[in-house]
Amino acid sequence: MSILLSSVLNGLSFAALLFLIAGGFTLLYGIMRLLNLAHGALYLWGAYLAAAVISGTGNYLLAVLVAGGVVGIATVIGGVGLFARVQGNELREVLLTIAVSLVLADAALAVWGGHPVGVQAPEFLRGAADFMPVAFPIYRLFLMGLALAVGFGLWYLIERTSVGALLRACVDNRAMLASLGVNVRRLYWFVWMAGGFLAGVAGLLGSIVFGIAPGVDVQILLLALVVVVLGGLGSLSGAALGSLVVGLSYSFATVYAPELLYFIIFGPMLILLVIRPQGLRGANA
Amino acid sequence: MRTRRWLPAVVGVVMLAACAGEGSEDGGGQFEDDDGTSQDDQADPGDAGEGGEPVRVGVLMPFSGPVAVSGELFVKGWELYWETHGTSAGGRTVEWVTGDTQADPSVAVEEARRLVEQENIDILVGPLLGSEGLAVGEYTESIGLPQVYGIPASEEFLRDIPDTIFRYGITHGQVSMPFGEWAAEQGYERVSTICSDYVTGWEICGGFINTFTDNGGEIVTQLWPPFGDTADLGPFMAQLAEQDHDAVYLGMPVGDAVAFFRAWTDFGLLDTVPVLGHHVTSSPSILKAMGLEAEGMISAGVFTGTLDDPVVEDFATRFEEAYGEPSDPDPALAWHAGALVRHGLEELDGDVSDADEFIAVLKQAEFPESVLGPLSVDEHGNVLYDVHIREARDRGDGVMENFVIDTYEQSGPNFRYDYDMYVEQPAYNRDYQGFDWPENCDAYISDCPLD
Amino acid sequence: MTTLMPQLTSRWTDQTNQNRRFLAVVITLVIVAVAPMFLQQFHVGLLTRIFFMGLLAMSLNVLVSLTRVLSLGHAGLFGVAAYVVAIGVTRWELPFLTAAAVALVVTGLVSMLFAVMIVRAQGVTFVMITVAQGMLLWGAAERWVSVTNGNNGIRGVRPPEFIQTANDFYWAAFAVVAVSVFALWRLHTSFLGTRLRGTGDSPTRMTSLGYSNAWHRFIAFTIAGLFAGVAGILYVGYFGFVSPTTLHVGNSVQVALAVILGGSALFLGPLLGTAVLLTARTWVVPVTDRWNLIVGALMIVTVLFLPNGLAGAFASAWAKLTRRIPRLAGRRSPDQNAPSAPAEPPGSSQPSGTPERPQH
């Protein structure tokens, strides 16, 4: 019974982390229609920056601001300076982000070295929650809460605010929006910044669980892709659903079908894409 | 389509321009030359002596990709060796060039070929990973190049190793087998294992289980998280928390070990049972990433900078002075590779033309004092090491290192088992973990610890 | 469709130019065939690798330039062929050529299976499915130890008896690749090739003309997989071993980079891209460890400024040199909307090559 409970909890907390990792990715796809394969590299830089700030100052708030801010600004520069030049051509967009991720990952290796880095949660989130019936870390409970908050925040931003209305309008018809006098460029900057910020902060959140090492960027990217593609590209609720599917199936497979662990992430995704290419929550193919 | 006809020509010209060169030597891939030799444009080794041609050594390591740090550490130790001892050996000057394997076996072979054919190396040192080593070993054997090969620990080398390779490193079982016996003798009865699900993890766990169960220990459960994944370790922790065991044996390399320890701490399991580790889970750089909570982790390994041995102390001090980080097994192995190359050159007066002879000399070399402790060689060419059981402690300035608490002297890859029997057992994998030997171990070893 | 065909046929049947091109091809073939006699052994090996890795890139280009989709799992099919040969030779003790034939059949079957999965997919969904396919094949190589020997890979694959030296292998690889490239050329210029292009460029028009887009995607993917298999057979023959790294998604990415660097719009572009990447690597690696950074930067420049890749850049430089109007292969440019690319023919009146975006 307790194994069942902890499997559910682990699955949910892994899902929460996956959702937070995929947040910036899904935002950029949802609004900019960019399949950002440099997402893992942005995550990696966020993780290293945050780890450096924490080991230097011990200030987690500052780490969030630096990781999110620097990665966000870099994303704005990349988005406006590079991506805008190839916008509209999917093939070149994808290749451009691959190229950028090669550069960023190798630069990270040059700057930060290849030693593994461990990042601890802030003091008040360390250790196991003693009020739970099974061993379970406080930090993972925090992740679940944070994922709910971020998910709700993004939903509220996009669906309920005037900025959100503009963003949605922008997805549908940006020329029309520009002709109505809206500063589309500034809107774009906002989206790039938000996407990069989320990716950078995800670096901090994820590295507390996974640690940081070269190569993590590719694995994070693959996780984000699976989650987002399962749910339906660009759909916020889809990303949430995809996270839950991956998180829970991974958690249960670990306990009940460990032999299949290697295939548990990509197998279901492949099957789903073949049956339903638009993903669980995608609108149409 | 008028303008397209230039394209084949351009492609051809570019390809040939890339290859501008003279001579019509033959070779490549896994093939031998027509005349059976490959290095005839190299220095004639006969004219060794003062003023003779330098000996060129190729240092083949990953310098990019996920394990780049090991390559960098190795080169640090290698350079430090020659800076300390001077580059003259056997009447010749030693030079070296590096090659980057990118942790990919086929790239490793290509780089080995580049070093041989373009850089005219006489000796190859490296590479790092078992898969790389197996691939490069085939190539160096085919062209008769001596290969000094330290880090790889795959037991596949026990079963099949070319004469042109001197494998001076340990196998994983060489370290984890004494540890299994030690754990059982310390009174651990029920142990759960968690090892990465690939060949390294299988061998680390398999060796431990082999001796631990032979000495009456019992394995409660074996968990196999995927290797190198950002796989969530939470479900594994939940399972470990459920078990009734008195220790957990950890065999997840480097970054994965850090992730394990994070999860282990966060799930509140730190104070439940001790974690027993392996040298790949407990080098100083890994301990640093784990944080001070890792204090007290017991592990087995052959090198630690804190060993009470003047040669080791000297190396550890020099390394830390030069690079500002605690010494690590990788640079120590590189330092010893330097010592081996020097030994071979001096024994043969700088003549490295015969790979088999060079390797044969190395296989006979005893190092009563080396940076890796006293070393001897068994009749199969395996190097016997002192295997240390160490405990991770803060050495006083906030830096954690491993301090020796027990030592198994001169232990080989077969440990106490009969060599041929050991090699004939199946390769360790997820399904074969050496469980088959308990109870009647005196069929295999001379002094069965069960008696 | 009707607007596509006359242009193509008129171009391809230009008799004088065909003769001159034929001559150029023959001269190039002869030079490349005698090259090993004048080259160092390292360069013979390098050229051999360029042959089969170039063939792999060209097989991927069947998807990129014709059906306008990017596969990031292509190295998986390449690796399947290599593994089947390795298993056939070492485990079943088959002769190399028999194992190669088995490998082609298996690769073809796997390609067909995978092709069935992708027929409905476009754009990023296609990319994602191929990533998943590649990762599953990699997982199988890594985990199915009893067959693949796991992470250590399989060693000791000897080529057929009649190949003794590296030069023999060079010529064998050259012959196989030359025939394969010719076959691919026939595909590109055939009516089937035109229909595959139609599937990539204007699927709705294809449907209205009564052609099945799904069927053509299936064919394109299977053909690409088969030629990747040929390259994989040469790979394992050359190196003598195969390991899971061979089919990792990172390897697929490298192949895609070679295609784009060389220029997917030109038939031999991917071969050129492979040649440049493999050759440059031998120059860069002795100098710096930052090879990946350099490749990435090179790719950014290529994607931004050279929509037709290096081949396109050479072409336009050549065209300028000969003072001709740059009437390049811009028609097949992957991006007509790109801002002021140098290789872009001014005022190109060709039908747009922009792939249709999936509607999300």
Side-chain angles (χ1 to χ4, degrees):
Chain A
M1 189 57 212
S2 63
I3 253 306
L4 189 65
L5 176 64
S6 60
S7 294
V8 172
L9 281 172
N10 272 310
L12 290 177
S13 64
F14 189 35
L17 182 57
L18 289 172
F19 178 75
L20 291 167
I21 285 171
F25 185 82
T26 208
L27 186 70
L28 288 188
Y29 192 86
I31 293 163
M32 308 304 297
R33 282 289 178 264
L34 169 67
L35 187 75
N36 179 20
L37 297 188
H39 183 74
L42 295 177
Y43 166 100
L44 186 69
W45 270 90
Y48 274 125
L49 286 167
V53 172
I54 289 169
S55 77
T57 67
N59 189 332
Y60 283 81
L61 196 61
L62 188 65
V64 167
L65 290 178
V66 169
V70 173
V71 174
I73 290 168
T75 312
V76 172
I77 294 171
V80 175
L82 301 178
F83 171 67
R85 289 168 160 274
V86 295
Q87 193 162 17
N89 185 322
E90 247 169 20
L91 208 61
R92 288 170 65 195
E93 284 170 18
V94 166
L95 286 158
L96 185 66
T97 58
I98 290 178
V100 168
S101 75
L102 275 180
V103 170
L104 286 180
D106 205 36
L109 185 60
V111 172
W112 306 103
H115 282 303
V117 176
V119 183
Q120 290 206 329
E123 198 74 56
F124 66 99
L125 294 177
R126 280 179 208 168
D130 40 20
F131 52 85
M132 302 286 288
V134 291
F136 200 70
I138 303 170
Y139 179 69
R140 285 177 180 250
L141 293 172
F142 164 77
L143 279 182
M144 285 149 79
L146 187 66
L148 285 177
V150 169
F152 180 77
L154 282 176
W155 171 81
Y156 189 83
L157 173 81
I158 292 170
E159 301 293 335
R160 289 287 184 271
T161 63
S162 55
V163 175
L166 289 179
L167 290 175
R168 277 177 289 138
C170 192
V171 174
D172 292 337
N173 192 337
R174 57 188 62 156
M176 172 68 90
L177 199 62
S179 68
L180 286 173
V182 175
N183 188 340
V184 176
R185 176 175 297 187
R186 206 162 63 200
L187 207 58
Y188 278 3
W189 284 41
F190 172 76
V191 175
W192 288 122
M193 185 71 203
F197 187 89
L198 286 175
V201 174
L204 170 61
L205 296 171
S207 61
I208 291 174
V209 173
F210 299 133
I212 319 169
V216 159
D217 52 330
V218 177
Q219 288 146 12
I220 289 291
L221 171 66
L222 290 174
L223 284 180
L225 280 174
V226 170
V227 163
V228 166
V229 170
L230 261 181
L233 273 161
S235 150
L236 198 62
S237 59
L241 197 58
S243 305
L244 283 174
V245 169
V246 174
L248 285 170
S249 59
Y250 184 87
S251 173
F252 277 91
T254 306
V255 178
Y256 297 105
E259 294 280 338
L260 298 177
L261 214 48
Y262 262 94
F263 305 100
I264 208 68
I265 289 186
F266 289 99
M269 167 177 142
L270 188 60
I271 294 166
L272 181 93
L273 279 181
V274 170
I275 300 169
R276 200 177 151 80
Q278 69 271 36
L280 290 171
R281 302 274 304 170
N284 49 358
Chain B
M1 282 318 294
R2 296 162 58 91
T3 49
R4 279 199 195 179
R5 69 165 183 278
W6 52 269
L7 194 52
V10 167
V11 172
V13 167
V14 166
M15 280 157 58
L16 293 177
C19 305
E22 289 170 25
S24 58
E25 279 175 274
D26 208 328
Q30 50 167 331
F31 306 100
E32 287 180 43
D33 288 343
D34 285 332
D35 58 1
T37 65
S38 68
Q39 300 178 58
D40 41 15
D41 59 337
Q42 294 183 11
D44 176 13
D47 66 12
E50 295 305 324
E53 290 272 337
V55 173
R56 290 178 66 78
V57 182
V59 180
L60 188 62
M61 282 283 146
F63 299 110
S64 53
V67 288
V69 67
S70 289
E72 283 159 25
L73 280 172
F74 191 90
V75 167
K76 283 176 179 174
W78 173 263
E79 289 178 346
L80 190 63
Y81 176 83
W82 295 105
E83 277 166 26
T84 309
H85 293 89
T87 54
S88 152
R92 296 177 75 180
T93 310
V94 176
E95 297 177 351
W96 59 89
V97 284
T98 56
D100 179 10
T101 67
Q102 297 184 323
D104 178 338
S106 61
V107 176
V109 170
E110 274 317 308
E111 281 290 286
R113 289 193 49 214
R114 184 179 66 77
L115 293 176
V116 169
E117 293 163 7
Q118 297 289 95
E119 303 283 357
N120 299 324
I121 59 167
D122 307 289
I123 301 166
L124 184 77
V125 172
L128 181 81
L129 305 176
S131 53
E132 294 173 351
L134 291 162
V136 172
E138 291 240 313
Y139 168 66
T140 52
E141 185 187 24
S142 74
I143 59 161
L145 182 81
Q147 182 181 356
V148 179
Y149 187 32
I151 295 186
S154 175
E155 303 214 343
E156 197 155 330
F157 287 98
L158 298 180
R159 299 183 171 84
D160 172 22
I161 188 162
D163 291 334
T164 48
I165 290 186
F166 181 53
R167 189 189 60 82
Y168 68 93
I170 44 171
T171 64
H172 285 303
Q174 190 167 357
V175 169
S176 64
M177 280 194 289
F179 196 32
E181 187 179 299
W182 183 86
E185 283 172 358
Q186 291 299 306
Y188 294 109
E189 286 169 2
R190 296 167 56 78
V191 168
S192 302
T193 69
I194 179 165
C195 292
S196 292
D197 193 8
Y198 79 121
V199 60
T200 299
W202 302 329
E203 290 182 355
I204 295 173
C205 256
F208 180 87
I209 288 168
N210 228 335
T211 52
F212 184 68
T213 52
D214 279 8
N215 286 278
E218 190 187 334
I219 298 300
V220 180
T221 187
Q222 286 201 274
L223 302 181
W224 300 106
F227 167 61
D229 262 23
T230 42
D232 182 26
L233 293 174
F236 295 97
M237 296 303 124
Q239 289 183 72
L240 287 177
E242 289 289 303
Q243 306 298 338
D244 171 28
H245 48 208
D246 34 48
V248 168
Y249 183 67
L250 170 65
M252 298 165 67
V254 201
D256 291 34
V258 176
F260 167 87
F261 211 78
R262 230 358 3 98
W264 182 251
T265 316
D266 287 346
F267 274 78
L269 300 172
L270 194 58
D271 299 323
T272 55
V273 292
V275 174
L276 308 177
H278 189 73
H279 64 99
V280 297
T281 73
S282 60
S283 75
S285 58
I286 300 171
L287 292 173
K288 183 182 168 200
M290 286 175 171
L292 285 174
E293 285 94 339
E295 185 144 26
M297 177 163 63
I298 297 170
S299 63
V302 295
F303 175 84
T304 172
T306 63
L307 191 67
D308 184 18
D309 177 314
V311 182
V312 176
E313 264 174 38
D314 175 61
F315 166 74
T317 317
R318 283 177 194 277
F319 188 83
E320 195 152 349
E321 268 173 20
Y323 301 111
E325 55 186 312
S327 57
D328 205 90
D330 287 345
L333 283 158
W335 176 286
H336 187 62
L340 283 167
V341 167
R342 172 182 299 281
H343 177 80
L345 288 173
E346 281 171 357
E347 288 290 308
L348 294 171
D349 291 326
D351 180 0
V352 289
S353 56
D354 187 339
D356 290 353
E357 193 185 359
F358 186 81
I359 296 303
V361 164
L362 295 188
K363 281 183 178 172
Q364 289 155 14
E366 306 268 325
F367 286 85
E369 286 185 339
S370 90
V371 72
L372 301 166
L375 304 177
S376 53
V377 186
D378 73 6
E379 70 266 31
H380 308 283
N382 298 300
V383 179
L384 309 183
Y385 280 80
D386 280 1
V387 176
H388 306 294
I389 315 297
R390 311 92 48 96
E391 186 178 5
R393 280 205 300 271
D394 183 344
R395 67 183 187 189
D397 58 352
V399 174
M400 276 206 284
E401 286 214 64
N402 295 301
F403 292 85
V404 174
I405 54 179
D406 206 347
T407 297
Y408 281 76
E409 284 176 9
Q410 298 301 291
S411 187
N414 51 325
F415 193 45
R416 294 193 202 284
Y417 300 107
D418 176 77
Y419 189 83
D420 295 327
M421 286 292 191
Y422 184 79
V423 172
E424 274 168 24
Q425 74 171 333
Y428 293 123
N429 60 44
R430 204 172 149 138
D431 303 318
Y432 176 73
Q433 285 283 298
F435 278 113
D436 307 9
W437 284 11
E439 310 311 328
N440 58 342
C441 63
D442 38 18
Y444 304 101
I445 38 182
S446 43
D447 56 339
C448 179
L450 282 181
D451 297 341
Chain C
M1 205 60 208
T2 41
T3 55
L4 281 175
M5 277 309 294
Q7 285 156 356
L8 287 180
T9 42
S10 73
R11 284 185 168 200
W12 258 274
T13 51
D14 186 322
Q15 197 57 48
T16 327
N17 286 314
Q18 207 170 37
N19 285 343
R20 287 160 79 180
R21 194 173 64 232
F22 182 72
L23 194 66
V25 167
V26 167
I27 291 172
T28 311
L29 287 180
V30 169
I31 291 175
V32 176
V34 300
M37 297 173 183
F38 305 99
L39 290 174
Q40 292 176 359
Q41 59 180 26
F42 178 70
H43 295 127
V44 175
L46 178 61
L47 275 177
T48 314
R49 275 190 301 142
I50 290 173
F51 289 156
F52 58 74
M53 294 313 282
L55 177 61
L56 177 62
M58 291 186 73
S59 73
L60 177 61
N61 201 33
V62 170
L63 298 176
V64 176
S65 79
L66 297 185
T67 49
R68 297 246 182 265
V69 282
L70 177 68
S71 165
L72 289 184
H74 209 55
L77 298 169
F78 173 76
V80 165
Y83 262 106
V84 173
V85 172
I87 293 164
V89 171
T90 60
R91 205 73 47 82
W92 305 332
E93 293 174 359
L94 295 177
F96 187 91
L97 292 180
T98 316
V102 176
L104 267 189
V105 172
V106 173
T107 315
L109 290 175
V110 174
S111 301
M112 274 159 30
L113 177 69
F114 282 7
V116 171
M117 300 179 184
I118 54 92
V119 290
R120 288 169 58 200
Q122 275 177 302
V124 290
T125 313
F126 183 92
V127 174
M128 290 316 308
I129 294 182
T130 54
V131 166
Q133 290 170 340
M135 290 306 288
L136 286 177
L137 287 177
W138 173 79
E142 191 79 43
R143 278 294 291 122
W144 196 7
V145 182
S146 56
V147 174
T148 63
N149 200 27
N151 191 275
N152 278 341
I154 303 176
R155 294 175 288 152
V157 186
R158 299 273 164 256
E161 284 288 308
F162 60 87
I163 294 177
Q164 295 289 337
T165 68
N167 280 8
D168 292 349
F169 194 86
Y170 173 94
W171 283 311
F174 176 54
V176 171
V177 171
V179 169
S180 305
V181 168
F182 180 70
L184 285 171
W185 170 250
R186 292 301 298 261
L187 172 71
H188 276 250
T189 53
S190 67
F191 183 51
L192 174 62
T194 312
R195 295 202 309 269
L196 296 179
R197 269 195 193 92
T199 302
D201 287 340
S202 40
T204 41
R205 220 182 293 176
M206 283 289 284
T207 313
S208 60
L209 286 167
Y211 292 113
S212 159
N213 285 308
W215 172 242
H216 284 96
R217 289 200 187 105
F218 175 86
I219 291 179
F221 195 92
T222 307
I223 291 174
L226 273 176
F227 281 101
V230 173
I233 292 165
L234 292 173
Y235 171 93
V236 75
Y238 175 82
F239 281 112
F241 72 87
V242 58
S243 71
T245 339
T246 308
L247 17 69
H248 196 261
V249 65
N251 219 7
S252 299
V253 167
Q254 295 291 329
V255 180
L257 292 183
V259 170
I260 301 308
L261 182 68
S264 71
L266 289 99
F267 178 67
L268 286 179
L271 183 60
L272 181 75
T274 310
V276 169
L277 273 183
L278 291 183
T279 311
R281 189 176 186 284
T282 66
W283 295 334
V284 171
V285 165
V287 183
T288 170
D289 294 336
R290 297 276 79 83
W291 167 244
N292 284 330
L293 201 151
I294 291 169
V295 170
L298 201 61
M299 288 315 305
I300 293 175
V301 171
T302 308
V303 172
L304 289 185
F305 302 111
L306 305 175
N308 289 320
L310 290 178
F314 279 129
S316 64
W318 175 262
K320 268 181 199 155
L321 202 71
T322 53
R323 293 169 182 281
R324 275 187 291 167
I325 304 158
R327 203 168 73 78
L328 236 217
R331 200 195 65 78
R332 300 254 42 94
S333 160
D335 181 18
Q336 299 289 320
N337 303 337
S340 66
E344 208 64 44
S348 166
S349 60
Q350 315 292 353
S352 166
T354 311
E356 297 192 358
R357 301 183 65 87
Q359 303 134 17
H360 285 280

